Structure formats: C-alpha cells, structure tokens
Amino acid sequence: MLGHLFGTQAKKKLEWARQIICQSIGATSSQDILFTSGGTESINHAIKGAALLARSIARKGANNTPKKPARNHIITSAIEHVAVSQTIQYLEEEFGFEKTVIPVDKEGRVNINDVVGALQENTLLVTIMLANN
C-alpha cells in the first residue's frame, strides 16, 4: 500500500508541474507537456515523432497502402549532435527518408543560403543546432 501512496503523490506532483508549465508557455492542455529523461530522448521523440507522423499521414491513401511520404526530406548540419545524426540515419535506413547535410565554415557556422538552397518541396524538417556544449 505504501508504494501505491508514493506513486499517487508523485503523479499529483507531476500533474501540478505540467499545469504550471502549460500556463507558462500557453499550451492548450497539460497533456501536451511531455517530460523525458534528457536531451537524447527528447531529440528522438521530436525527430522520429515528426517523421513518423508525416509517414503515417502519407500512408492513409487508397487501401492504406504504403507509399513514399509526401514529406520525407530532412536538412541537418555536418556537426550535429550524435543523437540527431543517428536518429536521421535510422530514419534513412528503416523508412527511406532523405537527408541533406549542410557544411559548416572553419568556425562551425552554417551559411543560411546553403539551408535555403537545400529546401525542397518534400522537406519535412530542418534541424540545426545553435550551440554545442
């Protein structure tokens, strides 16, 4: 019984935290607030979530037959965090997503014109980090 009590208390505190964050950022529902264990898990949820949702939407065609996603192109930089690059590689290998890797200059900066030039009709996501730790 004591374990159940601790779990109930933890759930109430988690819901309270969700409500505070929801109000702070103007989210429509506290259920839209998702907590993860850290950056890598967050990156995986964001990139895979966007990609697989796009794939799912594209598959809802005639007889729900698989077809290439309408948006299956991801743009990233040559120096992205490994969690980003491995997640994109997984999507390429397992689901046929395409990627464009934008080079960086000697100071690690991306040229915005390269990003704009890489945009395609089927671009789903551009993921470029601002800074690295």
Side-chain angles (χ1 to χ4, degrees), residues 19-119:
Q19 286 293 334
I20 297 296
I21 294 169
C22 180
Q23 292 168 1
S24 298
I25 66 172
T28 57
S29 168
S30 64
Q31 296 306 305
D32 293 339
I33 308 301
L34 180 69
F35 295 107
T36 65
S37 64
T40 297
E41 185 180 359
S42 297
I43 288 166
N44 272 276
H45 277 295
I47 295 174
K48 286 180 184 173
L52 297 179
L53 177 63
R55 183 174 187 268
S56 174
I57 290 169
R59 289 180 66 149
K60 298 204 188 239
N63 300 325
N64 208 21
T65 55
K67 59 182 180 177
K68 197 170 187 179
R71 298 207 177 262
N72 69 334
H73 177 244
I74 300 171
I75 299 171
T76 189
S77 81
I79 59 168
E80 285 305 307
H81 188 279
V82 68
V84 173
S85 59
Q86 286 182 351
T87 300
I88 294 170
Q89 181 179 348
Y90 167 80
L91 291 168
E92 281 183 291
E93 293 171 0
E94 296 297 321
F95 299 101
F97 279 78
E98 301 167 2
K99 77 174 174 194
T100 298
V101 179
I102 304 296
V104 297
D105 66 18
K106 64 182 179 180
E107 295 178 8
R109 294 180 296 203
V110 170
N111 183 321
I112 189 65
N113 294 322
D114 291 341
V115 176
V116 172
L119 291 171

Side-chain angles (χ1 to χ4, degrees), residues 7 16 79 83 121:
W16 174 80
I79 59 168
E121 188 74 26

